[in-house]
mmCIF file of all heavy atoms in Angstrom:
data_model
loop_
_atom_site.group_PDB
_atom_site.id
_atom_site.type_symbol
_atom_site.label_atom_id
_atom_site.label_comp_id
_atom_site.label_asym_id
_atom_site.label_seq_id
_atom_site.Cartn_x
_atom_site.Cartn_y
_atom_site.Cartn_z
ATOM 1 N N ASN A 126 135.974 -94.672 31.245
ATOM 2 C CA ASN A 126 135.436 -93.436 30.689
ATOM 3 C C ASN A 126 135.723 -92.240 31.580
ATOM 4 O O ASN A 126 135.816 -92.368 32.819
ATOM 5 C CB ASN A 126 133.922 -93.550 30.481
ATOM 6 C CG ASN A 126 133.564 -94.515 29.377
ATOM 7 O OD1 ASN A 126 133.853 -94.269 28.213
ATOM 8 N ND2 ASN A 126 132.949 -95.634 29.729
ATOM 9 N N LEU A 127 135.849 -91.062 30.949
ATOM 10 C CA LEU A 127 135.980 -89.795 31.662
ATOM 11 C C LEU A 127 134.673 -89.036 31.545
ATOM 12 O O LEU A 127 134.077 -88.950 30.466
ATOM 13 C CB LEU A 127 137.111 -88.943 31.076
ATOM 14 C CG LEU A 127 138.520 -89.520 31.100
ATOM 15 C CD1 LEU A 127 139.499 -88.472 30.568
ATOM 16 C CD2 LEU A 127 138.913 -89.965 32.497
ATOM 17 N N PHE A 128 134.247 -88.428 32.657
ATOM 18 C CA PHE A 128 133.014 -87.658 32.714
ATOM 19 C C PHE A 128 133.344 -86.227 33.147
ATOM 20 O O PHE A 128 134.205 -86.017 34.007
ATOM 21 C CB PHE A 128 132.033 -88.256 33.726
ATOM 22 C CG PHE A 128 131.589 -89.662 33.410
ATOM 23 C CD1 PHE A 128 132.413 -90.748 33.671
ATOM 24 C CD2 PHE A 128 130.341 -89.899 32.867
ATOM 25 C CE1 PHE A 128 132.006 -92.044 33.395
ATOM 26 C CE2 PHE A 128 129.918 -91.190 32.592
ATOM 27 C CZ PHE A 128 130.757 -92.266 32.854
ATOM 28 N N LEU A 129 132.639 -85.250 32.578
ATOM 29 C CA LEU A 129 132.752 -83.854 32.995
ATOM 30 C C LEU A 129 131.405 -83.471 33.586
ATOM 31 O O LEU A 129 130.392 -83.402 32.884
ATOM 32 C CB LEU A 129 133.091 -82.953 31.805
ATOM 33 C CG LEU A 129 133.246 -81.461 32.090
ATOM 34 C CD1 LEU A 129 134.385 -81.212 33.067
ATOM 35 C CD2 LEU A 129 133.480 -80.684 30.795
ATOM 36 N N ILE A 130 131.392 -83.213 34.907
ATOM 37 C CA ILE A 130 130.126 -82.981 35.609
ATOM 38 C C ILE A 130 130.239 -81.740 36.487
ATOM 39 O O ILE A 130 131.334 -81.279 36.806
ATOM 40 C CB ILE A 130 129.767 -84.202 36.492
ATOM 41 C CG1 ILE A 130 130.843 -84.412 37.568
ATOM 42 C CG2 ILE A 130 129.589 -85.449 35.643
ATOM 43 C CD1 ILE A 130 130.499 -85.490 38.579
ATOM 44 N N PRO A 131 129.088 -81.165 36.901
ATOM 45 C CA PRO A 131 129.135 -80.043 37.843
ATOM 46 C C PRO A 131 129.777 -80.469 39.155
ATOM 47 O O PRO A 131 129.615 -81.608 39.599
ATOM 48 C CB PRO A 131 127.651 -79.687 38.043
ATOM 49 C CG PRO A 131 126.957 -80.238 36.846
ATOM 50 C CD PRO A 131 127.711 -81.479 36.465
ATOM 51 N N ALA A 132 130.516 -79.567 39.769
ATOM 52 C CA ALA A 132 131.185 -79.885 41.037
ATOM 53 C C ALA A 132 130.159 -80.010 42.146
ATOM 54 O O ALA A 132 129.247 -79.189 42.267
ATOM 55 C CB ALA A 132 132.200 -78.803 41.384
ATOM 56 N N GLY A 133 130.320 -81.035 42.961
ATOM 57 C CA GLY A 133 129.451 -81.218 44.115
ATOM 58 C C GLY A 133 128.058 -81.680 43.712
ATOM 59 O O GLY A 133 127.743 -81.857 42.538
ATOM 60 N N ASP A 134 127.199 -81.873 44.689
ATOM 61 C CA ASP A 134 125.819 -82.288 44.465
ATOM 62 C C ASP A 134 124.949 -81.048 44.399
ATOM 63 O O ASP A 134 124.813 -80.317 45.386
ATOM 64 C CB ASP A 134 125.359 -83.205 45.600
ATOM 65 C CG ASP A 134 124.058 -83.931 45.253
ATOM 66 O OD1 ASP A 134 123.408 -83.508 44.276
ATOM 67 O OD2 ASP A 134 123.709 -84.891 45.950
ATOM 68 N N THR A 135 124.369 -80.775 43.228
ATOM 69 C CA THR A 135 123.558 -79.569 43.060
ATOM 70 C C THR A 135 122.137 -79.733 43.579
ATOM 71 O O THR A 135 121.358 -78.788 43.559
ATOM 72 C CB THR A 135 123.488 -79.192 41.564
ATOM 73 O OG1 THR A 135 122.935 -80.291 40.828
ATOM 74 C CG2 THR A 135 124.878 -78.875 41.020
ATOM 75 N N VAL A 136 121.779 -80.934 44.032
ATOM 76 C CA VAL A 136 120.444 -81.169 44.574
ATOM 77 C C VAL A 136 120.466 -80.952 46.086
ATOM 78 O O VAL A 136 121.445 -81.250 46.759
ATOM 79 C CB VAL A 136 119.985 -82.614 44.249
ATOM 80 C CG1 VAL A 136 118.595 -82.866 44.814
ATOM 81 C CG2 VAL A 136 120.000 -82.837 42.751
ATOM 82 N N LYS A 137 119.367 -80.421 46.642
ATOM 83 C CA LYS A 137 119.291 -80.168 48.075
ATOM 84 C C LYS A 137 119.491 -81.464 48.861
ATOM 85 O O LYS A 137 119.156 -82.556 48.398
ATOM 86 C CB LYS A 137 117.944 -79.549 48.443
ATOM 87 C CG LYS A 137 117.750 -78.145 47.899
ATOM 88 C CD LYS A 137 116.412 -77.580 48.355
ATOM 89 C CE LYS A 137 116.205 -76.169 47.809
ATOM 90 N NZ LYS A 137 114.899 -75.612 48.229
ATOM 91 N N ASN A 138 120.006 -81.320 50.049
ATOM 92 C CA ASN A 138 120.332 -82.485 50.873
ATOM 93 C C ASN A 138 119.105 -82.966 51.642
ATOM 94 O O ASN A 138 119.125 -83.120 52.855
ATOM 95 C CB ASN A 138 121.467 -82.130 51.838
ATOM 96 C CG ASN A 138 122.039 -83.366 52.499
ATOM 97 O OD1 ASN A 138 121.998 -84.454 51.930
ATOM 98 N ND2 ASN A 138 122.552 -83.203 53.712
ATOM 99 N N THR A 139 118.007 -83.192 50.933
ATOM 100 C CA THR A 139 116.792 -83.719 51.540
ATOM 101 C C THR A 139 116.870 -85.242 51.542
ATOM 102 O O THR A 139 117.050 -85.854 50.491
ATOM 103 C CB THR A 139 115.549 -83.257 50.759
ATOM 104 O OG1 THR A 139 115.531 -81.834 50.739
ATOM 105 C CG2 THR A 139 114.283 -83.769 51.399
ATOM 106 N N LEU A 140 116.720 -85.853 52.701
ATOM 107 C CA LEU A 140 116.876 -87.308 52.803
ATOM 108 C C LEU A 140 115.585 -88.054 52.529
ATOM 109 O O LEU A 140 115.603 -89.169 52.017
ATOM 110 C CB LEU A 140 117.399 -87.676 54.194
ATOM 111 C CG LEU A 140 118.791 -87.126 54.548
ATOM 112 C CD1 LEU A 140 119.170 -87.557 55.960
ATOM 113 C CD2 LEU A 140 119.828 -87.618 53.547
ATOM 114 N N LEU A 141 114.436 -87.437 52.848
ATOM 115 C CA LEU A 141 113.167 -88.170 52.736
ATOM 116 C C LEU A 141 112.013 -87.187 52.628
ATOM 117 O O LEU A 141 112.025 -86.124 53.258
ATOM 118 C CB LEU A 141 112.983 -89.088 53.940
ATOM 119 C CG LEU A 141 111.749 -89.986 53.982
ATOM 120 C CD1 LEU A 141 112.080 -91.302 54.683
ATOM 121 C CD2 LEU A 141 110.596 -89.304 54.716
ATOM 122 N N GLN A 142 111.002 -87.543 51.817
ATOM 123 C CA GLN A 142 109.801 -86.724 51.696
ATOM 124 C C GLN A 142 108.602 -87.637 51.520
ATOM 125 O O GLN A 142 108.560 -88.462 50.610
ATOM 126 C CB GLN A 142 109.917 -85.763 50.507
ATOM 127 C CG GLN A 142 108.707 -84.849 50.340
ATOM 128 C CD GLN A 142 108.877 -83.892 49.176
ATOM 129 O OE1 GLN A 142 109.995 -83.586 48.776
ATOM 130 N NE2 GLN A 142 107.770 -83.416 48.628
ATOM 131 N N ALA A 143 107.607 -87.520 52.413
ATOM 132 C CA ALA A 143 106.389 -88.325 52.326
ATOM 133 C C ALA A 143 105.426 -87.710 51.308
ATOM 134 O O ALA A 143 105.374 -86.494 51.142
ATOM 135 C CB ALA A 143 105.724 -88.416 53.693
ATOM 136 N N PHE A 144 104.663 -88.567 50.623
ATOM 137 C CA PHE A 144 103.667 -88.067 49.682
ATOM 138 C C PHE A 144 102.621 -89.149 49.434
ATOM 139 O O PHE A 144 102.800 -90.314 49.785
ATOM 140 C CB PHE A 144 104.321 -87.637 48.370
ATOM 141 C CG PHE A 144 104.854 -88.770 47.524
ATOM 142 C CD1 PHE A 144 104.122 -89.256 46.438
ATOM 143 C CD2 PHE A 144 106.087 -89.361 47.795
ATOM 144 C CE1 PHE A 144 104.610 -90.296 45.652
ATOM 145 C CE2 PHE A 144 106.581 -90.386 47.001
ATOM 146 C CZ PHE A 144 105.837 -90.864 45.928
ATOM 147 N N GLN A 145 101.506 -88.759 48.832
ATOM 148 C CA GLN A 145 100.475 -89.695 48.405
ATOM 149 C C GLN A 145 100.168 -89.435 46.940
ATOM 150 O O GLN A 145 100.183 -88.295 46.479
ATOM 151 C CB GLN A 145 99.204 -89.553 49.256
ATOM 152 C CG GLN A 145 99.336 -90.157 50.640
ATOM 153 C CD GLN A 145 97.993 -90.314 51.317
ATOM 154 O OE1 GLN A 145 97.182 -89.391 51.301
ATOM 155 N NE2 GLN A 145 97.753 -91.464 51.923
ATOM 156 N N TRP A 146 99.879 -90.529 46.237
ATOM 157 C CA TRP A 146 99.567 -90.408 44.814
ATOM 158 C C TRP A 146 98.060 -90.501 44.622
ATOM 159 O O TRP A 146 97.407 -91.420 45.123
ATOM 160 C CB TRP A 146 100.272 -91.532 44.050
ATOM 161 C CG TRP A 146 100.015 -91.467 42.565
ATOM 162 C CD1 TRP A 146 100.355 -90.449 41.732
ATOM 163 C CD2 TRP A 146 99.374 -92.460 41.761
ATOM 164 N NE1 TRP A 146 99.964 -90.731 40.444
ATOM 165 C CE2 TRP A 146 99.362 -91.975 40.427
ATOM 166 C CE3 TRP A 146 98.806 -93.722 42.017
ATOM 167 C CZ2 TRP A 146 98.802 -92.696 39.367
ATOM 168 C CZ3 TRP A 146 98.266 -94.432 40.962
ATOM 169 C CH2 TRP A 146 98.265 -93.926 39.658
ATOM 170 N N GLN A 147 97.518 -89.516 43.879
ATOM 171 C CA GLN A 147 96.082 -89.451 43.652
ATOM 172 C C GLN A 147 95.737 -89.586 42.169
ATOM 173 O O GLN A 147 94.716 -89.072 41.718
ATOM 174 C CB GLN A 147 95.537 -88.116 44.183
ATOM 175 C CG GLN A 147 95.752 -87.895 45.665
ATOM 176 C CD GLN A 147 95.040 -88.945 46.507
ATOM 177 O OE1 GLN A 147 93.951 -89.406 46.154
ATOM 178 N NE2 GLN A 147 95.656 -89.336 47.623
ATOM 179 N N GLY A 148 96.596 -90.245 41.425
ATOM 180 C CA GLY A 148 96.308 -90.474 40.015
ATOM 181 C C GLY A 148 96.968 -89.494 39.064
ATOM 182 O O GLY A 148 96.708 -89.524 37.851
ATOM 183 N N GLU A 149 97.834 -88.619 39.590
ATOM 184 C CA GLU A 149 98.521 -87.663 38.719
ATOM 185 C C GLU A 149 99.432 -88.401 37.732
ATOM 186 O O GLU A 149 99.936 -89.477 38.025
ATOM 187 C CB GLU A 149 99.372 -86.694 39.536
ATOM 188 C CG GLU A 149 98.600 -85.862 40.546
ATOM 189 C CD GLU A 149 98.592 -86.506 41.928
ATOM 190 O OE1 GLU A 149 98.672 -87.757 42.006
ATOM 191 O OE2 GLU A 149 98.513 -85.759 42.921
ATOM 192 N N LEU A 150 99.633 -87.777 36.572
ATOM 193 C CA LEU A 150 100.549 -88.349 35.580
ATOM 194 C C LEU A 150 101.999 -88.076 35.946
ATOM 195 O O LEU A 150 102.900 -88.814 35.524
ATOM 196 C CB LEU A 150 100.247 -87.788 34.186
ATOM 197 C CG LEU A 150 98.896 -88.197 33.586
ATOM 198 C CD1 LEU A 150 98.709 -87.551 32.218
ATOM 199 C CD2 LEU A 150 98.793 -89.722 33.473
ATOM 200 N N GLU A 151 102.220 -87.005 36.721
ATOM 201 C CA GLU A 151 103.581 -86.710 37.147
ATOM 202 C C GLU A 151 103.554 -85.883 38.422
ATOM 203 O O GLU A 151 102.587 -85.151 38.698
ATOM 204 C CB GLU A 151 104.358 -85.955 36.057
ATOM 205 C CG GLU A 151 103.746 -84.624 35.654
ATOM 206 C CD GLU A 151 104.501 -83.970 34.521
ATOM 207 O OE1 GLU A 151 104.738 -84.633 33.492
ATOM 208 O OE2 GLU A 151 104.858 -82.781 34.677
ATOM 209 N N MET A 152 104.618 -86.005 39.213
ATOM 210 C CA MET A 152 104.756 -85.236 40.447
ATOM 211 C C MET A 152 106.198 -84.723 40.529
ATOM 212 O O MET A 152 107.140 -85.503 40.385
ATOM 213 C CB MET A 152 104.435 -86.097 41.680
ATOM 214 C CG MET A 152 103.000 -86.593 41.717
ATOM 215 S SD MET A 152 102.651 -87.604 43.196
ATOM 216 C CE MET A 152 102.726 -86.345 44.482
ATOM 217 N N ALA A 153 106.335 -83.423 40.735
ATOM 218 C CA ALA A 153 107.660 -82.813 40.806
ATOM 219 C C ALA A 153 108.194 -82.875 42.231
ATOM 220 O O ALA A 153 107.450 -82.640 43.194
ATOM 221 C CB ALA A 153 107.612 -81.366 40.326
ATOM 222 N N PHE A 154 109.477 -83.176 42.347
ATOM 223 C CA PHE A 154 110.161 -83.197 43.642
ATOM 224 C C PHE A 154 111.436 -82.361 43.507
ATOM 225 O O PHE A 154 112.533 -82.899 43.264
ATOM 226 C CB PHE A 154 110.488 -84.634 44.057
ATOM 227 C CG PHE A 154 109.268 -85.470 44.344
ATOM 228 C CD1 PHE A 154 108.683 -86.233 43.342
ATOM 229 C CD2 PHE A 154 108.692 -85.463 45.602
ATOM 230 C CE1 PHE A 154 107.556 -86.994 43.595
ATOM 231 C CE2 PHE A 154 107.564 -86.226 45.876
ATOM 232 C CZ PHE A 154 106.983 -86.994 44.861
ATOM 233 N N PRO A 155 111.302 -81.029 43.631
ATOM 234 C CA PRO A 155 112.449 -80.127 43.418
ATOM 235 C C PRO A 155 113.645 -80.434 44.308
ATOM 236 O O PRO A 155 114.785 -80.300 43.874
ATOM 237 C CB PRO A 155 111.863 -78.737 43.719
ATOM 238 C CG PRO A 155 110.383 -78.884 43.515
ATOM 239 C CD PRO A 155 110.066 -80.280 43.934
ATOM 240 N N ASP A 156 113.373 -80.842 45.571
ATOM 241 C CA ASP A 156 114.488 -81.115 46.470
ATOM 242 C C ASP A 156 115.317 -82.311 46.032
ATOM 243 O O ASP A 156 116.470 -82.463 46.447
ATOM 244 C CB ASP A 156 113.968 -81.352 47.893
ATOM 245 C CG ASP A 156 113.496 -80.069 48.553
ATOM 246 O OD1 ASP A 156 113.602 -79.003 47.914
ATOM 247 O OD2 ASP A 156 113.005 -80.126 49.696
ATOM 248 N N PHE A 157 114.727 -83.154 45.189
ATOM 249 C CA PHE A 157 115.453 -84.323 44.685
ATOM 250 C C PHE A 157 115.901 -84.125 43.240
ATOM 251 O O PHE A 157 116.510 -85.008 42.652
ATOM 252 C CB PHE A 157 114.577 -85.572 44.807
ATOM 253 C CG PHE A 157 114.376 -86.013 46.224
ATOM 254 C CD1 PHE A 157 113.368 -85.458 47.004
ATOM 255 C CD2 PHE A 157 115.206 -86.957 46.807
ATOM 256 C CE1 PHE A 157 113.186 -85.845 48.321
ATOM 257 C CE2 PHE A 157 115.032 -87.349 48.121
ATOM 258 C CZ PHE A 157 114.024 -86.787 48.885
#
């Protein structure tokens, strides 16, 4: 298959982010 995608990685180069879950239905991680 051929794919047409944006050039390069458009997501920030964040390697790791710590967090805790408190029962939320969703959590946003913009850097990822």
Side-chain angles (χ1 to χ4, degrees):
N126 291 293
L127 300 184
F128 298 78
L129 180 61
I130 62 173
D134 194 346
T135 58
V136 180
K137 292 182 180 179
N138 192 28
T139 302
L140 297 179
L141 183 147
Q142 181 179 336
F144 70 100
Q145 285 194 314
W146 181 62
Q147 300 298 325
E149 300 94 331
L150 293 179
E151 60 184 51
M152 297 180 69
F154 294 92
D156 287 359
F157 290 85

